[in-house]
Amino acid sequence: MERGFRFLKDPFFLASSIFVKKPERVIALSFVMVLCLLVYRLAEHLLRRQLVATEQTLPNQINKPINRPTMRWIFQCFEGIDLLHIRVGSDFQTQVLGLQALHQRVLRLLGPAYSQFYFFSP
């Protein structure tokens, strides 16, 4: 069992710090990883489909316009966005810091369900 799931202990998957010697845990971790990859791929498919439908492009790593970005690149673009929670009296206000025009464009392409996570209206 251990040999077939060697990829789980690859540092890229960040699973080496997780106890995965029991078959049940290996299966559970594999299931979570498959679900994550499914969501990842669905988001990539949605973004690419919207880019083609609207005849838009996004810049890649070397600032070349492309209509088939990877979600890995999109996630890297979204690094550095922070939430600031401010308490004013008994109320809390939340602000999104670092949201740039590129991020807003990606969120518009993905749709309102994604935009609401960043308190951004398309």
Side-chain angles (χ1 to χ4, degrees):
M1 188 70 149
E2 176 85 21
R3 188 169 184 206
F5 290 96
R6 186 177 306 216
F7 69 92
L8 292 175
K9 294 205 175 199
D10 187 321
F12 179 74
F13 290 108
L14 304 174
S16 60
S17 62
I18 299 172
F19 183 72
V20 290
K21 288 194 176 187
K22 288 186 176 181
E24 301 86 22
R25 291 185 181 187
V26 172
I27 292 169
L29 182 59
S30 299
F31 180 71
V32 169
M33 289 175 61
V34 167
L35 284 178
C36 291
L37 288 172
L38 175 66
V39 170
Y40 180 95
R41 181 63 185 116
L42 288 172
E44 185 177 80
H45 177 74
L46 174 62
L47 180 60
R48 289 177 174 185
R49 190 178 67 203
Q50 287 296 103
L51 283 169
V52 169
T54 59
E55 297 179 354
Q56 293 184 48
T57 61
L58 295 173
N60 67 2
Q61 291 90 330
I62 57 174
N63 215 23
K64 178 184 171 190
I66 57 171
N67 65 354
R68 293 183 51 81
T70 63
M71 281 314 288
R72 180 177 176 143
W73 168 240
I74 298 301
F75 288 155
Q76 286 176 341
C77 288
F78 273 72
E79 285 180 3
I81 295 176
D82 297 305
L83 287 179
L84 174 64
H85 302 285
I86 303 169
R87 191 168 101 189
V88 180
S90 61
D91 294 332
F92 281 95
Q93 295 177 355
T94 303
Q95 294 179 356
V96 180
L97 305 176
L99 197 63
Q100 304 294 322
L102 174 63
H103 305 123
Q104 293 174 5
R105 206 160 103 214
V106 169
L107 291 170
R108 271 191 215 99
L109 287 163
L110 290 171
Y114 294 83
S115 299
Q116 73 185 16
F117 290 116
Y118 290 91
F119 310 106
F120 170 73
S121 299

